Amino acid sequence: MKRKNRIFASLAAILILFESASGTVASAQTVDPQVESSNSQIANNDEKEPSTINSEKTVTSFQNLYTKYKWTAGDEISNQVTLNTPEKRKVYLQKWTGKKYVNAKEFTTDEKGGLTIVYPSSWYHQLQSKWRLVAPETADSTAATSNQITISTVRRYQIPKKYRQLHMHDLHLKGYYTSPLDKSLNYASTRNDYVEAFIKRGYEYKNAGTAWVNFTTKKPGTSVDCSGLVMQCMYATGIDPSPANPRWHATHEWGCRSFVKSPTLQTVSLKNLKRGDLIFYGRPKPSCYHIGIYLGKNKVLHSWPNAGVTVWPANFNRYYYAKRVFPDTKNVAIHEKS
């Protein structure tokens, strides 16, 4: 009897354990409403993640921008540029100084992101210049910096290769005075600009004494001889007068004769003189004892012993030769961009 009771008790215990285990499993499978809500919110957040990315700032870029120019000096350079951000915003044109970029001009785009870039005239004051565009960051768009823009300058007035060439820098002869380049001249200067700068430097010597005292060319207002005057005018327009130079030639006509024989100065007809031409005095050929700068209207600017630098009648019956420092050439406009 006791044995039967033990068996029943054991079976009852097993049944209780079985029901308890079944309840635990059922409880684990039951979905809590709060958990379901939390899981749903996580799922919704995962679906909204791409929307968060789309709300970030638009990456700014420059479109339709030319980065290489080969352009005739003095002509305007402009470029219709578009930013890919449809909003009004500032854009800065910066120029490379050799050490850093500095702001040169400020522009504002229209509502569609368009603007016209107009380069300042400083681009043709050097043979090559470098630039870039910078758009600062806005609330909706990132900042942007364009690729480097390079502008190669083509001189407006070109002297043919077989004649004396122009330089855009000061020329110096060590130990002797040489006139600095006229500051009004640049790569956009025309033939007439050079002629006037040539004559202007000569006028700066007006009333100066001659160089017969110390035999060398000096600064304006001091002393200069006829050949030295022409040389200083050449220096002022970026022309190297070598092999003639402003030292030790005032006691003879070496400078004058060097110019009259020079194949790098254009020979012109005596009947077709132009302002700025050189006229040479002396007979018979090839002798030459004096040189002057023709001003037009039968006038010549020159340096004469005991008279200094002054303007006299050209006295045509005494000169026999004429040269042109600035030959007539055709100006061809070059506008290349890429």
Side-chain angles (χ1 to χ4, degrees):
M1 187 67 180
K2 290 179 180 181
R3 186 177 180 183
K4 288 183 178 179
N5 289 336
R6 289 176 183 171
I7 292 173
F8 281 121
S10 297
L11 291 173
I14 292 171
L15 181 60
I16 291 171
L17 290 171
F18 177 80
E19 290 177 352
S20 176
S22 299
T24 302
V25 172
S27 175
Q29 291 177 346
T30 302
V31 179
D32 190 319
Q34 291 183 350
V35 174
E36 183 178 16
S37 175
S38 176
N39 290 341
S40 176
Q41 186 175 359
I42 293 173
N44 290 338
N45 286 343
D46 289 341
E47 291 176 358
K48 290 182 179 180
E49 188 65 27
S51 176
T52 302
I53 294 174
N54 291 337
S55 67
E56 292 181 353
K57 293 185 178 183
T58 303
V59 177
T60 303
S61 63
F62 292 97
Q63 300 172 350
N64 306 317
L65 176 65
Y66 293 102
T67 58
K68 289 186 179 180
Y69 290 89
K70 185 178 181 181
W71 218 260
T72 301
D75 293 349
E76 183 180 273
I77 297 181
S78 62
N79 188 186
Q80 295 281 347
V81 180
T82 304
L83 272 70
N84 63 325
T85 55
E87 59 177 331
K88 294 188 71 173
R89 59 189 299 187
K90 297 290 185 183
V91 174
Y92 296 95
L93 175 65
Q94 297 183 335
K95 184 179 181 181
W96 177 249
T97 65
K99 294 183 178 180
K100 63 180 181 179
Y101 280 100
V102 297
N103 289 344
K105 273 185 114 173
E106 177 184 313
F107 301 92
T108 302
T109 64
D110 57 28
E111 290 81 357
K112 296 181 179 180
L115 73 158
T116 301
I117 299 296
V118 179
Y119 289 85
S121 62
S122 59
W123 73 261
Y124 58 74
H125 291 177
Q126 56 194 108
L127 195 58
Q128 189 178 82
S129 57
K130 296 179 180 180
W131 309 75
R132 72 178 183 184
L133 295 178
V134 174
E137 183 181 18
T138 67
D140 300 318
S141 307
T142 65
T145 300
S146 74
N147 293 331
Q148 181 176 273
I149 303 163
T150 303
I151 303 178
S152 298
T153 304
V154 179
R155 190 193 294 273
R156 178 165 293 280
Y157 173 63
Q158 296 282 1
I159 289 183
K161 290 184 178 180
K162 63 181 180 179
Y163 298 118
R164 291 179 186 249
Q165 296 300 296
L166 298 167
H167 302 271
M168 279 289 101
H169 56 81
D170 294 341
L171 300 164
H172 297 285
L173 182 66
K174 187 175 180 180
Y176 295 87
Y177 177 76
T178 52
S179 286
L181 181 71
D182 189 299
K183 293 182 179 179
S184 69
L185 299 175
N186 56 57
Y187 288 100
S189 298
T190 63
R191 178 187 181 279
N192 185 66
D193 293 332
Y194 279 98
V195 169
E196 293 308 313
F198 184 78
I199 293 173
K200 183 178 75 173
R201 185 55 49 86
Y203 267 110
E204 291 176 7
Y205 279 90
K206 197 175 179 190
N207 299 323
T210 59
W212 290 87
V213 177
N214 52 28
F215 310 126
T216 59
T217 296
K218 300 290 185 180
K219 294 182 180 181
T222 53
S223 60
V224 66
D225 77 332
C226 62
S227 298
L229 178 67
V230 172
M231 290 178 200
Q232 298 302 336
C233 293
M234 286 185 174
Y235 284 123
T237 49
I239 294 178
D240 187 350
S242 299
N245 60 66
R247 67 175 180 179
W248 296 105
H249 63 80
T251 55
H252 55 77
E253 289 78 30
W254 184 82
C256 175
R257 292 174 184 175
S258 174
F259 287 138
V260 80
K261 293 178 181 179
S262 173
T264 59
L265 292 175
Q266 182 184 28
T267 301
V268 294
S269 167
L270 304 179
K271 296 179 180 180
N272 296 308
L273 284 175
K274 289 188 175 183
R275 182 174 169 83
D277 288 349
L278 304 179
I279 57 176
F280 299 85
Y281 296 79
R283 281 196 178 99
K285 294 181 182 181
S287 296
C288 173
Y289 65 85
H290 188 56
I291 183 175
I293 301 172
Y294 186 61
L295 301 177
K297 298 182 179 179
N298 193 35
K299 299 292 183 181
V300 60
L301 177 69
H302 67 153
S303 175
W304 188 258
N306 301 321
V309 179
T310 185
V311 176
W312 283 4
N315 196 7
F316 290 143
N317 63 336
R318 296 180 59 193
Y319 77 84
Y320 76 94
Y321 219 59
K323 290 276 192 175
R324 184 158 293 160
V325 181
F326 304 99
D328 294 313
T329 59
K330 293 182 179 180
N331 297 322
V332 180
I334 297 177
H335 296 156
E336 299 175 6
K337 58 185 178 181
S338 60

